[in-house]
Amino acid sequence: MSTDPDIFITLVVPVYNEQENIEHLVQVCLEVLKAHQWTHEIILVDDGSKDKSRAIIKSLSASHAQVKGLVFSRNFGHQAALHAGMVASKGVYVVTMDGDMQHPPSLIPTLVGQAEKGFQVVNTRRLEQESLPWSKKMTSRWYYRLLNFLSDVHIEPASADFRLMHRQVVDAYLSLPERHRFNRGLVAWLGFTQTFVDFQPAERYAGTTKFSFLRMLGLGLDGVTSFSVKPLRLAFYLGSAVSVLALAYSLYAVVIFLLGKAIAGWTSLLVSMLFLGGVTLMCLGVIGEYVARIYDEVRGRPIYIVQETITQNQDGN
Ligand code: UDP
Ligand code: MG
């Protein structure tokens, strides 16, 4: 990966239908970066937006040489957009952040301060938002508990995709070949010297969240399957335990038969059939999840497709 020694910091911002937010975000970020006199670039990754996001990125780039854009050919998802932004980044430090102002740009100097102290990765952790619905708080808490129970790397609860990485870490990250990218886990897996900074997430500046329950569930499954084979092992344990029970019950059935006391056992038959059927399907489902992921990885399709690169001089770099 090429670093431009003239660029101190790159901001990578994925945007998906964020037309009301982009200008404000870029303006606030530029104020922060200029106040510290850091050489910089801001890479806005348009993840297949259907609103005016692309036009706004173009006009911003036309008036600010440091603002660049990547436009995906369709929606590839937040994690893919972060990846593309990192590929294009040239700064010594790379900061990834959301485009809706929930990740406050005013925190960037704190992140840089930690990096200058020698931390190669400065992660952030969301302090609990009072305004979040109880259900979302609970889901998030239990998700991380389950994830950490299943996963082989520790993933900090409430961690956000708002982080600073040193160039060396970005290059290591980009060398990971997998297509299903669960950044929080991948960055934790990379190692290096890491630290956490807590922040109070702001409300969205405008617009609404792009993450439906199903997308959250998908991301959650990626988190588990990318970092652990424990669900497969649990399926094996469960299958074994049920087999032992089934064997004991069969012995009992044979004894009853030999004693000539066998009666029409409709209930027990039905219950055991349903139970065994359920366990079998569940284990097949777990295996299926992994097989699907293997299939996806083996096909080796790219993580995203860039349709257009936006820079002031339009030289395509
Ligand atoms: N985003 C994206 N692609 C998507 C969904 C979201 O690039 O498919 C971007 C979005 O524009 C925002 C960031 O990812 O900058 C986080 O999304 P959002 O704010 O909707 O998530 P939340 O903060 O509600 O978890
Ligand atoms: Mg948000």
Side-chain angles (χ1 to χ4, degrees), residues 78-79 123 126 143-144 153-156 158-161 163 181-189 219 227:
H78 182 204
Q79 307 289 307
N123 296 292
R126 274 172 280 128
Y143 169 65
Y144 279 105
V153 294
H154 177 75
I155 295 166
E156 191 68 22
S159 53
D161 279 320
R163 82 169 59 75
R181 302 197 79 90
F182 183 66
N183 284 315
R184 275 159 240 188
L186 290 176
V187 174
W189 181 91
L219 187 67
F227 288 98

Side-chain angles (χ1 to χ4, degrees), residues 13-18 45 47 75-78 81 97-100 102 136 204 208-211 215-216:
V13 188
V15 291
Y16 179 48
N17 297 337
E18 304 283 8
V45 187
D47 185 13
N75 180 247
F76 282 89
H78 182 204
M97 62 196 294
D98 284 358
D100 57 1
Q102 287 198 287
K136 196 156 182 179
R204 242 180 181 278
T208 52
T209 178
K210 311 307 186 277
F211 279 93
R215 287 191 77 163
M216 295 282 275

Side-chain angles (χ1 to χ4, degrees), residues 138-211:
M138 276 327 221
T139 351
S140 157
R141 226 175 272 171
W142 278 99
Y143 169 65
Y144 279 105
R145 253 176 232 175
L146 183 70
L147 185 61
N148 278 314
F149 166 69
L150 292 172
S151 168
D152 300 330
V153 294
H154 177 75
I155 295 166
E156 191 68 22
S159 53
D161 279 320
F162 180 24
R163 82 169 59 75
L164 177 148
M165 283 186 265
H166 187 270
R167 167 61 39 194
Q168 196 187 355
V169 183
V170 174
D171 289 347
Y173 168 87
L174 293 176
S175 73
L176 302 175
E178 56 244 78
R179 294 189 63 257
H180 281 276
R181 302 197 79 90
F182 183 66
N183 284 315
R184 275 159 240 188
L186 290 176
V187 174
W189 181 91
L190 282 174
F192 294 96
T193 45
Q194 307 213 2
T195 186
F196 275 92
V197 169
D198 291 319
F199 76 103
Q200 189 70 55
E203 292 293 330
R204 242 180 181 278
Y205 184 68
T208 52
T209 178
K210 311 307 186 277
F211 279 93

Side-chain angles (χ1 to χ4, degrees), residues 239-253 272 275-276:
S240 313
V242 170
S243 308
V244 170
L245 286 178
L247 189 70
Y249 194 71
S250 314
L251 284 177
Y252 164 78
S272 52
F275 181 60
L276 283 176

